Amino acid sequence: MTIMHRSTIVLSAVVACSFLVPSIALAAGEGNVCTTSYEKAQYLRRDKKLRAARKELLTCSQTTCAAAIVSDCTQWMSEVDKIIPSVVFDVRDTKGQSIADAKVSMDGEVLQTKLDGTAIQVDPGNHTFHFDLADGTSGDQQMLVLEGEKARVITYTITGVAAGTGNGQTTQPPQNPPNQPSSGGSKTLAYVVGGVGVASLAVGIIFGAMGSSQASSDKASGGCAPKCGDDEVSSIKTKLIMSDIFIPVGIVGIGAGVVLYLVSGNGHASASATTGLTVTHGVRLDASPTRDGATFGLHGSF
């Protein structure tokens, strides 16, 4: 009887241990999960991966975790809920009508396979949203989502895409074909060429006026003519030669500038018979000889 009694006690102890050991192991496993989630949530929150951080906080805030861990995780989840942004997608067809049969992805992750008008939590930052419609059309949209935004409506309208193409590209008219120079560039070139022509013409007029004035002085009473020295004669010839060179160059330059301006589309040139010569749009040249040389004035706007 004694042996049987002892056997019964031993058997009961073994049976009790068989139920106790799995419970201890389960508790230890839950403790590891709680600790891991507790630690991961802090790193994810720091890196602004708020959605992943919230999942970990849900795990470590369960009542099966230690009281201290539950307290921290519960508080942190409340703080994350305040700053995690959410968006609502509104996809519209080519007629501007909102549609539900669309799939939306963010940075390659599918968020919704069918729109229902509800808000979806996303991480703050710059994201690429991809929209796929049932007819095969698709498109992308870049969007910066701010921390703390709630239920921000993101509207995407499919425009300029033929149904069923599936290429997700919109047709846009060419802005400025590369083989066609813009009128702005032609006008700039016209101003430069015309300006060089004006400057050359002015130099030629000045040299001509100076040479003619010097020759007139020599021929006047008290002048050296006809017995002027070689230096004086050479000085007059040089000025007249420079005038003969610069005046034709200036005329050609002005003409080329006027032609370029007219070709550019809306330019015009006019000549004035008053006190000056208007050679290009907004440019007026005034030049007149004096006893000691010449005066020159260039007026205008570009």
Side-chain angles (χ1 to χ4, degrees):
M1 294 295 294
T2 302
I3 295 174
M4 292 180 62
H5 180 67
R6 290 178 178 176
S7 299
T8 301
I9 294 175
V10 172
L11 180 60
S12 299
V14 170
V15 173
C17 290
S18 66
F19 287 99
L20 181 61
V21 170
S23 300
I24 295 174
L26 180 60
E30 289 180 350
N32 290 335
V33 171
C34 293
T35 303
T36 301
S37 296
Y38 181 84
E39 295 176 351
K40 289 176 62 176
Q42 297 179 67
Y43 290 111
L44 292 170
R45 184 184 179 189
R46 179 199 62 186
D47 297 336
K48 298 302 180 181
K49 298 179 180 179
L50 301 182
R51 290 188 302 158
R54 193 176 189 281
K55 290 181 180 179
E56 299 297 336
L57 291 172
L58 281 173
T59 300
C60 65
S61 62
Q62 300 299 318
T63 56
T64 54
C65 298
I69 292 179
V70 172
S71 177
D72 288 343
C73 290
T74 302
Q75 179 182 348
W76 293 340
M77 186 165 63
S78 176
E79 295 173 355
V80 168
D81 285 339
K82 291 180 180 179
I83 63 175
I84 187 171
S86 61
V87 296
V88 180
F89 297 107
D90 180 18
V91 177
R92 304 190 178 190
D93 58 18
T94 54
K95 297 180 181 180
Q97 301 295 324
S98 296
I99 57 177
D101 196 5
K103 182 175 71 173
V104 182
S105 303
M106 181 185 73
D107 303 328
E109 174 190 358
V110 178
L111 296 181
Q112 287 183 301
T113 57
K114 194 176 185 66
L115 303 185
D116 56 7
T118 58
I120 303 296
Q121 290 182 336
V122 297
D123 292 328
N126 194 26
H127 300 289
T128 299
F129 295 100
H130 182 74
F131 303 87
D132 290 299
L133 275 67
D135 62 359
T137 59
S138 62
D140 294 330
Q141 181 169 321
Q142 295 284 337
M143 184 68 63
L144 177 63
V145 180
L146 304 180
E147 188 175 90
E149 285 186 315
K150 299 297 183 182
R152 176 179 179 180
V153 178
I154 297 179
T155 303
Y156 185 82
T157 303
I158 303 296
T159 58
V161 184
T165 58
N167 55 12
Q169 301 197 5
T170 58
T171 57
Q172 296 181 351
Q175 298 286 329
N176 193 15
N179 59 343
Q180 296 181 2
S182 63
S183 61
S186 300
K187 288 182 180 179
T188 302
L189 180 60
Y191 292 147
V192 172
V193 174
V196 172
V198 170
S200 298
L201 179 61
V203 171
I205 293 174
I206 291 173
F207 274 114
M210 292 175 62
S212 298
S213 177
Q214 188 174 352
S216 297
S217 297
D218 291 342
K219 294 178 181 179
S221 177
C224 61
K227 298 180 180 181
C228 295
D230 294 338
D231 292 341
E232 179 69 13
V233 175
S234 177
S235 176
I236 295 174
K237 288 183 177 180
T238 299
K239 291 180 177 64
L240 295 177
I241 291 173
M242 296 295 290
S243 176
D244 291 340
I245 294 174
F246 278 100
I247 288 179
V249 172
I251 293 174
V252 172
I254 293 172
V258 172
V259 172
L260 288 174
Y261 191 87
L262 294 175
V263 171
S264 67
N266 59 353
H268 66 275
S270 61
S272 173
T274 57
T275 59
L277 174 65
T278 303
V279 293
T280 59
H281 178 72
V283 179
R284 189 177 75 254
L285 172 66
D286 296 318
S288 61
T290 64
R291 179 177 179 83
D292 299 324
T295 60
F296 166 72
L298 181 63
H299 310 276
S301 60
F302 297 91

